[in-house]
């Protein structure tokens, strides 16, 4: 065995102990974590024969040693937290060397080990001070797991969609109970992909075409409706119910014309629309259904009538299913306001094996190939395809079947999302508990405000707590918004209120069924306040007391 003269990171050296040449009584192995600096000093980590049973001890195995270097005679434990800076002159000799692969692992652990302490400081909760401290309507709840996975994914250096995304898609798909789930860079992109997929020529006669009608509502978020406009479809607006803020199903039958091909609706603020009616009508009239679940992750619905799924198979009556699994495609958003976050992000999910590769194709440049980033021949016949007018055997990786986009996410986003999934059940529980708390306390105001009402058969995973000021209450919404604002209590409108009254909607093709009276009332009199997991009892109590003060003044 030969050693180079200078000590390098990764060398195992014998050191005198205590660290003093003259008084040396024992010799101890230690791992050089650095080369010598300008003063000849090296950082060493200790190796002992026993573990200190903490996660900061790593057992050295035979495969951790560089080829041609002899492992330590007794199995050693490296103590990554026990460092000392010593001059290279006291080194007795170099005795072995660890692999770069092991060093990469070791430095990863060294980087990650301080994240819990950092996180504890950064996310320390402080006692709530009414008025001085803002009560948000929504917002991210992060902890050490999110930061750890975020840093891990960065250290991978993979950057694009990778192992964290794969794990996230699988885990979230299992949670929802859906066969295929694909991430994308926002909820708006998810909606765009869902609608785009339904225009694919691969769907033959069922493909959506410009001029086709799509039933929706105007009281909601613009990007639930915009994809229809972007693909030349005509949105047909049906009014909403107050309380549930979902489509008024009594009016939906009269919305159906011989041009109707699809229904695209959001489950408003986490409260499902009436799936019994919508799915029944969709199957009867052969309509596609896109469920925008951006605000409804965790919401379940138990049908009370006989329904069938996209393949015509019966859906069990009374059994609870996640929203998004009744129609053809469901969508999600992971913007920080939502149930879980990854900063920016979204997902499209479906049980259909036909729609899945189409959605993926639109997301990934329109390509026909479905290899994951970094893979080259998943189909096993990369050079055997004959598509379009391309020569036979044209590389499948560069064959395109759709006018596509690139709407993928990075692995850092997926890593944060993956950590958030560990908290999802608790988040949903807290949202439901906060909803009940607010609901019970605000019941006194029911002659002044319309309280939210869960759709029958639905167990909402609430996004916010909507209220509508009753017309006879003699209170203006703008005054309420200002009152809440002056007390540092966050509030939001029900998104665009009435979409067709937004500046961008001028000259957009659309049809209105009957009238949008309630939609206008939502635009004028409704708002929502927060109930997310970041809100504690003191905050809820303050919100309640300020709402009461406003309405009882
Ligand atoms: C119902 C609904 N759909 C879609 C979106 C868009 O999601 P994103 O902000 O991720 O694009 C939102 C945003 O909050 C939403 O509330």
């Amino acid at each position: 065995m030969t050693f180079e003269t200078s000590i390098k990171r990764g060398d195992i050296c014998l050191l005198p102990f205590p660290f003093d040449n003259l008084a040396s009584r024992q010799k101890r192995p230690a791992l050089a974590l650095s080369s010598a600096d300008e003063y000849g000093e090296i950082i060493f980590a200790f190796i002992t024969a026993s573990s200190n049973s903490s996660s900061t001890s790593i057992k050295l195995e035979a495969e951790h040693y560089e080829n041609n270097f002899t492992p330590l005679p007794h199995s050693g434990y490296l103590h990554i937290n026990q460092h000392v800076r010593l001059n290279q002159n006291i080194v007795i000799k170099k005795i072995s060397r660890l692999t770069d692969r092991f060093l990469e692992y070791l430095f990863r652990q060294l980087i990650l080990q301080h994240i819990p302490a950092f996180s504890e400081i950064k996310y320390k909760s402080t006692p709530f001070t009414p008025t001085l401290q803002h009560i948000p309507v929504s917002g991210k709840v992060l902890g050490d797991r999110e930061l750890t996975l975020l840093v891990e994914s960065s250290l991978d250096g993979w950057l694009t969609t990778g192992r964290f995304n794969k794990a996230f898609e699988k885990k979230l798909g299992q949670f929802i109970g859906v066969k295929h789930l694909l991430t994308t860079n926002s909820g708006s992109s998810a909606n765009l992909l869902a609608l785009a997929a339904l225009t694919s020529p691969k769907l033959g006669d069922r493909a959506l075409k410009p001029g086709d009608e799509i039933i929706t509502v105007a009281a909601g978020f613009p990007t639930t409706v915009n994809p229809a406009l972007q693909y030349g479809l005509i949105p047909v607006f049906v009014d909403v119910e107050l309380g549930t803020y979902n489509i008024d199903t009594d009016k939906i039958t009269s919305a159906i014309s011989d041009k109707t091909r699809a229904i695209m609706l959001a489950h408003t603020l986490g409260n499902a629309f009436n799936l019994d009616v919508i799915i029944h009508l969709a199957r009867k009239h052969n309509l596609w259904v896109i469920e925008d679940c951006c605000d409804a992750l965790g919401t379940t619905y138990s049908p009370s009538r006989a329904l069938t799924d996209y393949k015509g198979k019966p859906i069990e009556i009374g059994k609870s299913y996640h929203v998004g699994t009744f129609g053809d495609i469901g969508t999600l958003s992971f913007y920080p306001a939502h149930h879980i976050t990854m900063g920016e992000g979204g997902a499209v999910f479906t049980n259909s094996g036909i729609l899945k590769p189409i959605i993926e194709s639109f997301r990934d440049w329109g390509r026909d190939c479905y290899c994951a980033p970094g893979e080259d021949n998943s189909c096993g016949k990369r050079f055997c395809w004959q598509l379009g007018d391309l020569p036979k055997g044209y590389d499948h990786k560069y064959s395109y079947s759709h006018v596509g986009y690139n709407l993928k996410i990075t692995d850092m986003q997926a890593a944060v999302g993956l950590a958030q999934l560990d908290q999802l059940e608790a988040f949903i529980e807290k949202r439901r508990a906060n909803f009940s708390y607010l609901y019970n306390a605000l019941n006194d105001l029911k002659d002044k405000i319309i309280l939210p009402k869960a759709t029958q058969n639905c167990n909402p995973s609430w996004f916010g707590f909507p209220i509508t000021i009753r017309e006879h209450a003699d209170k203006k919404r703008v005054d309420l918004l200002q009152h809440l604002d002056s007390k540092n209590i966050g509030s939001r409108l029900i998104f665009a209120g009435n979409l067709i009254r937004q500046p961008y909607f001028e000259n957009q093709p659309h049809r209105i069924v009957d009238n949008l009276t309630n939609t206008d009332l939502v635009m004028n009199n409704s708002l929502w306040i927060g109930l997310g997991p970041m809100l504690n009892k003191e905050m809820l109590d303050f919100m309640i007391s300020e709402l009461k003060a406003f309405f009882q003044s």
Side-chain angles (χ1 to χ4, degrees):
M1 190 166 37
T2 53
F3 289 111
E4 293 162 31
T5 44
S6 65
I7 296 161
K8 288 191 303 193
R9 176 183 300 125
D11 288 338
I12 295 180
C13 302
L14 266 192
L15 305 179
F17 187 80
F19 312 118
D20 172 342
N21 275 340
L22 304 171
S24 174
R25 286 187 298 263
Q26 287 182 43
K27 292 172 191 166
R28 287 274 176 85
L31 173 69
L33 295 178
S34 70
S35 314
D37 64 12
E38 60 198 293
Y39 305 106
E41 290 187 338
I42 297 172
I43 302 169
F44 286 101
F46 284 108
I47 298 170
T48 63
S50 62
S51 154
N52 63 8
S53 76
S54 107
S55 59
T56 54
S57 297
I58 303 172
K59 184 165 190 243
L60 292 176
E61 308 285 357
E63 76 258 23
H64 296 151
Y65 291 86
E66 189 89 79
N67 278 346
N68 303 327
F69 285 87
T70 318
L72 294 176
H74 307 292
S75 57
Y77 288 86
L78 177 68
H79 300 285
I80 65 173
N81 266 350
Q82 292 179 16
H83 298 172
V84 64
R85 181 182 282 272
L86 295 171
N87 196 284
Q88 61 187 346
N89 295 336
I90 81 157
V91 171
I92 300 167
K93 61 175 177 170
K94 291 194 264 188
I95 51 171
S96 192
R97 178 162 178 79
L98 300 178
T99 63
D100 280 352
R101 192 185 158 86
F102 178 79
L103 292 179
E104 186 186 319
Y105 167 76
L106 169 63
F107 277 93
R108 187 180 277 255
Q109 302 314 310
L110 285 170
I111 291 167
L112 296 177
Q113 66 174 333
H114 294 296
I115 292 178
F118 171 85
S119 165
E120 218 176 288
I121 297 162
K122 184 171 173 70
Y123 299 120
K124 188 162 78 185
S125 64
T126 48
F128 172 60
T129 325
T131 308
L132 288 181
Q133 199 177 328
H134 181 61
I135 301 181
V137 275
S138 56
K140 52 192 183 288
V141 178
L142 302 178
D144 66 331
R145 179 96 179 122
E146 280 76 8
L147 297 182
T148 298
L149 295 198
L150 179 60
V151 172
E152 277 226 59
S153 62
S154 313
L155 293 175
D156 280 2
W158 183 254
L159 306 183
T160 180
T161 291
R163 68 179 176 114
F164 286 98
N165 186 62
K166 204 168 168 185
F168 175 80
E169 286 180 341
K170 185 168 174 214
K171 201 165 175 184
L172 182 55
Q174 280 168 349
F175 173 81
I176 293 172
V178 71
K179 283 191 194 137
H180 313 286
L181 185 138
L182 297 160
T183 52
T184 184
N185 59 7
S186 72
S188 303
S189 298
N191 284 342
L192 180 64
L193 286 173
L195 199 286
L198 300 183
T199 68
S200 169
K202 295 194 178 206
L203 298 173
D205 289 349
R206 284 212 70 200
L208 297 178
K209 291 178 291 302
D212 285 349
E213 289 187 349
I214 179 162
I215 295 173
T216 188
V217 297
F221 200 80
T223 55
T224 311
V225 173
N226 292 355
L229 299 172
Q230 284 150 340
Y231 277 87
L233 276 78
I234 316 290
V236 174
F237 293 113
V238 178
D239 207 5
V240 293
E241 297 169 333
L242 298 173
T244 68
Y245 304 98
N246 280 305
I247 191 164
D248 183 343
T249 43
D250 288 344
K251 294 188 172 169
I252 193 171
T253 316
S254 55
I256 296 174
S257 77
D258 57 0
K259 287 187 176 168
T260 311
R261 296 284 177 274
I263 301 173
M264 183 160 178
L265 293 165
H267 296 292
T268 308
L269 295 174
N271 191 19
F273 52 81
N274 186 331
L275 284 154
D276 273 10
V277 171
I278 301 285
I279 298 299
H280 172 77
L281 276 180
R283 303 293 176 238
K284 185 168 158 197
H285 296 276
N286 204 19
L287 309 177
W288 295 107
V289 177
I290 299 174
E291 295 177 62
D292 176 338
C293 308
C294 286
D295 301 340
L297 179 56
T299 296
T300 56
Y301 186 89
S302 322
S304 57
R305 71 187 290 179
L307 299 174
T308 50
D309 72 4
Y310 73 106
K311 270 187 171 169
K313 283 210 317 231
I315 299 175
E316 214 176 300
I317 295 177
K319 187 172 161 190
S320 147
Y321 298 89
H322 279 265
V323 292
T325 59
F326 289 84
D328 299 281
I329 306 179
T331 60
L332 289 167
S333 165
F334 309 126
Y335 187 74
H338 294 257
H339 292 65
I340 57 167
T341 190
M342 50 174 73
E344 297 288 350
V348 191
F349 56 95
T350 181
N351 277 314
S352 162
I354 293 169
L355 292 177
K356 185 253 176 182
I358 298 176
I359 296 164
E360 197 168 25
S361 167
F362 271 101
R363 185 193 64 177
D364 303 355
W365 306 282
R367 66 186 177 155
D368 207 72
C369 162
Y370 42 85
C371 283
E375 282 176 19
D376 275 342
N377 196 7
S378 310
C379 64
K381 22 178 206 174
R382 178 174 168 191
F383 302 110
C384 308
W385 291 81
Q386 165 76 75
L387 293 169
D389 288 336
L390 294 168
K392 183 166 169 33
Y394 195 82
D395 190 347
H396 195 217
K397 239 177 136 52
Y398 290 98
S399 302
Y400 301 90
S401 44
H402 296 106
V403 183
Y405 308 94
N406 177 0
L407 302 174
K408 297 192 300 300
I409 61 168
T410 68
D411 227 25
M412 285 79 75
Q413 288 165 286
V416 176
L418 185 62
Q420 288 267 284
L421 287 182
D422 290 346
Q423 303 199 66
L424 178 55
E425 303 262 17
F427 284 168
I428 295 168
E429 213 173 290
K430 189 83 177 33
R431 283 177 176 274
R432 288 182 176 144
N434 284 351
F435 177 90
S436 301
Y437 193 78
L438 286 170
Y439 187 91
N440 292 334
L442 294 175
N443 208 24
D444 301 351
L445 297 179
K446 66 175 185 287
D447 56 330
K448 310 264 183 179
I449 58 175
I450 299 172
L451 287 164
K453 187 174 136 204
T455 301
Q456 208 182 351
N457 305 332
C458 170
N459 186 10
S461 168
W462 291 98
F463 183 71
F465 191 93
I467 53 181
T468 299
I469 302 176
R470 291 189 187 275
E471 283 175 298
H472 64 252
D474 202 24
K475 292 281 181 192
K476 289 207 184 84
R477 184 183 61 188
V478 66
D479 295 336
L480 174 56
L481 295 174
Q482 271 167 4
H483 176 73
L484 294 174
D485 196 46
S486 73
K487 300 291 172 188
N488 226 340
I489 299 171
S491 65
R492 291 282 182 274
L493 301 188
I494 301 189
F495 309 121
N498 180 347
L499 267 186
I500 62 170
R501 298 193 187 276
Q502 291 282 347
Y504 89 97
F505 220 88
E506 204 183 348
N507 301 324
Q508 295 294 346
H510 66 279
R511 187 160 72 80
I512 293 172
V513 178
D514 199 6
N515 61 59
L516 299 183
T517 309
N518 284 347
T519 304
D520 278 334
L521 203 69
V522 168
M523 176 181 68
N524 290 316
N525 281 17
S526 303
L527 68 147
W528 60 274
I529 51 174
L531 45 62
M534 74 298 290
L535 302 187
N536 58 33
K537 185 174 171 299
E538 290 72 37
M539 291 168 168
L540 297 179
D541 284 339
F542 184 59
M543 289 156 71
I544 292 161
S545 74
E546 288 307 325
L547 279 165
K548 289 190 173 173
F550 176 82
F551 282 105
Q552 287 162 358
S553 66

